[in-house]
Amino acid sequence: MPCLLRYLERDYLAHYRFSNIVLLRPSMSFMLIQTPNPLTLKDALPNFSKTTHIFLPINDCRNANQAEGGSHWSLLLVSIVDGVAFHYDSLNPANREEAITTTKKLGTLLGKQLQFLDLPDSPQQENSSDCGVFVCVQMKHLLLKKLMRADKEQKVSMSMGGKHIDASHGRKAMLDIIEGFRKEGESRRS
């Protein structure tokens, strides 16, 4: 997941200087959900004062000593401008409580009440191992096909209803991204 975030930031968000979208790392999302007082994280997290949207991978790990553990991932997309947190869970409602807790804590951090919207029309995985792929594919789709194409004043439907996710295609796309980073690193070392 971190490779995809880096790829999206470098290859897409960097070209949209005025997008003000933050892709929070899984470890930062985990830290937010585990911290009793989210205001203590203000200096550790990005400055959200000009941010319009935040993407947060959500994990069901309850052990504060095991960052990025757990058995299931889902995606929380927070529209700060609209005051809404959209939850996409491919095993709905597996991560609902974690997403609600994260929404409340992020609202406290932002000094703004956020409405939580669980989206039951999110594409559902057919096994117990594709949740991370679903999070990555949904994040890329929502960022590139919805938010980055929207007019500043335009309201955009954040529903993933009717969107089919081919997990094997998503996995291959992620491997291609990783391979691209590997080749880039090799050429820099040469």
Side-chain angles (χ1 to χ4, degrees):
M1 208 172 301
C3 279
L4 177 74
L5 298 176
R6 185 172 153 215
Y7 162 76
L8 291 172
E9 287 169 340
R10 187 187 75 181
D11 290 7
Y12 294 99
L13 286 177
H15 302 293
Y16 292 88
R17 293 178 302 163
F18 304 108
S19 64
N20 297 320
I21 296 171
V22 171
L23 309 179
L24 211 57
R25 298 300 187 264
S27 56
M28 300 306 275
S29 296
F30 182 74
M31 187 169 62
L32 179 62
I33 197 170
Q34 294 295 325
T35 302
N37 179 2
L39 294 175
T40 61
L41 299 176
K42 220 168 179 80
D43 292 335
L45 293 169
N47 179 350
F48 297 123
S49 63
K50 294 181 182 176
T51 302
T52 60
H53 296 83
I54 306 169
F55 285 82
L56 302 99
I58 303 296
N59 188 274
D60 64 353
C61 182
R62 288 183 172 78
N63 181 349
N65 296 317
Q66 186 184 7
E68 299 180 36
S71 62
H72 182 60
W73 292 96
S74 62
L75 177 64
L76 191 66
L77 168 55
V78 178
S79 171
I80 296 174
V81 293
D82 296 317
V84 179
F86 301 95
H87 184 229
Y88 306 88
D89 192 340
S90 60
L91 283 176
N92 204 17
N95 276 3
R96 182 178 167 79
E97 291 307 313
E98 290 83 356
I100 289 171
T101 299
T102 304
T103 298
K104 288 177 183 174
K105 289 188 177 191
L106 189 59
T108 299
L109 188 67
L110 298 171
K112 178 177 190 163
Q113 186 167 356
L114 299 170
Q115 176 188 359
F116 177 79
L117 272 180
D118 195 39
L119 298 173
D121 64 351
S122 296
Q124 297 295 291
Q125 65 191 71
E126 297 173 3
N127 60 29
S128 62
S129 60
D130 285 337
C131 55
V133 175
F134 272 65
V135 167
C136 292
V137 171
Q138 288 174 338
M139 185 182 302
K140 185 176 178 184
H141 178 79
L142 290 164
L143 179 65
L144 302 182
K145 304 286 186 201
K146 302 255 185 180
L147 293 179
M148 301 297 272
R149 290 187 177 179
D151 181 271
K152 190 176 184 179
E153 303 301 317
Q154 176 185 10
K155 291 288 181 192
V156 178
S157 167
M158 298 313 293
S159 170
M160 290 288 290
K163 169 85 173 134
H164 172 73
I165 293 181
D166 179 343
S168 62
H169 182 265
R171 204 174 279 107
K172 176 162 179 4
M174 287 188 290
L175 286 172
D176 290 345
I177 292 168
I178 293 167
E179 179 64 14
F181 281 133
R182 188 190 66 74
K183 287 180 179 177
E184 184 181 300
E186 278 182 358
S187 68
R188 270 193 256 150
R189 286 190 293 272
S190 303

